[in-house]
Amino acid sequence: MRTDDYRVRPGHPVDLAQWATDDDGGLTKDEAKGRFRELNDRLEVLQEKLYADGGHKLLVVLQATDTGGKDGTIRRVTDGLNPQGVKVASFKRPTEEELAHDYLWRVHAHTPGNGEIVIFNRSHYEDVLVVRVHELVPEERWARRYDHIRSFEQLLVDEGTTVVKLFLHLSKREQAERLQARLDDPDKHWKFSVGDLAEREHWDDYQEAFRVMLERTSTDATPWYVIPADRKWFRDLLVAQILVDQLDALDLAYPPNPDDLSGIVIT
Ligand code: AMP
Ligand code: MG
């Protein structure tokens, strides 16, 4: 699978209608699940190497529409990884203290340290998404944020972080089905939010906000990938493949032991 096909080219206009939501990569569900398991095993090894190597850090930014599958993606992709080396940071409505600071303040503290993978479940991009759609700050303020964000992420890269950004791209029809499924099943009621229905009314505004986000903040060093998300099994496979590719590219190595181990006999 060529993950590069799903990468947003810097400087190219983005038209989200041209990006599939229901891609299957030419695979059946069973084939995809088999490949996913292989990739998951590789991720386990690569994560251990990242941890042992201690010289790199990986930040994965996840954004999506409501019901887009952020939680499910995180659950599936981190399955089997060593919890000591992976953290998930979820960004909710800002607290009063967070709102009293600049919008990157709460984010920076959660970026990965050496050997760590951090997954952002929502992120600083909310400050050009929900904030833009609902005009939570005036346009002259949010409009400047694309540049701030590019600079902030470049800082992370310059200081040794690999940044990979995943936009889970869902169709409006699939969102309706997922909302309906949550409504129909009492065990899923906890996931149903009346607020999601209100947000659905703003579907087109969100699509436009996502479009501009992809266009203005996908760079060579900090690319966005558009993940077709209507099929959960394809979504999981593609995300796993992207993470494996990113970690492979780091040329990770187990560090040599500082001591001479050759003559040691365990008694
Ligand atoms: P959930 O992830 O479903 O638990 O919902 C978190 C909510 O917090 C979503 O409605 C987000 O839009 C909202 N949220 C996250 N970050 C911000 C932000 N910076 N400003 C306003 N709302 C936010
Ligand atoms: Mg929600």
Side-chain angles (χ1 to χ4, degrees), residues 66-67 70-71 92 122 182 191 193 196:
D66 294 319
T67 72
K70 296 188 303 295
D71 296 323
K92 309 279 184 187
R122 302 185 191 268
R182 289 179 183 184
K191 283 205 242 180
S193 146
D196 289 353

Side-chain angles (χ1 to χ4, degrees), residues 49-218:
K49 268 192 168 172
L50 179 83
Y51 191 71
D53 178 293
H56 299 272
K57 25 203 180 250
L58 175 64
L59 173 62
V60 182
V61 174
L62 258 188
Q63 287 289 162
T65 27
D66 294 319
T67 72
K70 296 188 303 295
D71 296 323
T73 303
I74 293 170
R75 193 173 60 242
R76 298 275 289 134
V77 171
T78 61
D79 187 30
L81 299 189
N82 179 354
Q84 292 212 88
V86 184
K87 289 182 188 157
V88 178
S90 297
F91 295 96
K92 309 279 184 187
R93 208 158 279 127
T95 63
E96 227 174 281
E97 189 188 24
E98 286 167 352
L99 278 175
H101 292 78
D102 71 81
Y103 65 96
L104 291 174
W105 178 77
R106 68 169 179 166
V107 173
H108 204 162
H110 293 283
T111 54
N114 282 332
E116 277 180 357
I117 298 175
V118 172
I119 303 177
F120 279 2
N121 182 349
R122 302 185 191 268
S123 67
H124 43 296
Y125 284 99
E126 291 293 322
D127 292 280
V128 290
L129 292 168
V130 63
V131 168
R132 171 182 168 134
V133 168
H134 291 289
E135 294 192 322
L136 300 181
V137 303
E139 177 170 356
E140 70 214 46
R141 266 179 74 192
W142 60 250
R144 285 196 292 258
R145 292 180 173 177
Y146 300 96
D147 287 339
H148 302 158
I149 290 173
R150 287 168 64 116
S151 303
F152 169 62
E153 291 177 354
Q154 188 61 50
L155 156 89
L156 298 179
V157 171
D158 290 347
E159 295 291 322
T161 304
T162 299
V163 180
V164 53
K165 304 183 289 193
L166 309 175
F167 168 58
L168 307 184
H169 185 30
L170 197 74
S171 66
K172 195 173 182 188
R173 191 176 29 90
E174 178 65 19
Q175 186 188 56
E177 283 182 20
R178 292 186 186 180
L179 288 169
Q180 189 65 51
R182 289 179 183 184
L183 212 50
D184 292 344
D185 179 355
D187 286 347
K188 286 187 179 168
H189 282 183
W190 67 275
K191 283 205 242 180
F192 189 87
S193 146
V194 182
D196 289 353
L197 288 187
E199 292 306 87
R200 184 172 163 80
E201 299 291 312
H202 298 283
W203 179 271
D204 292 342
D205 295 338
Y206 271 106
Q207 293 297 298
E208 174 62 8
F210 283 125
R211 188 190 71 72
V212 176
M213 167 191 90
L214 295 168
E215 210 171 87
R216 298 214 35 204
T217 63
S218 195

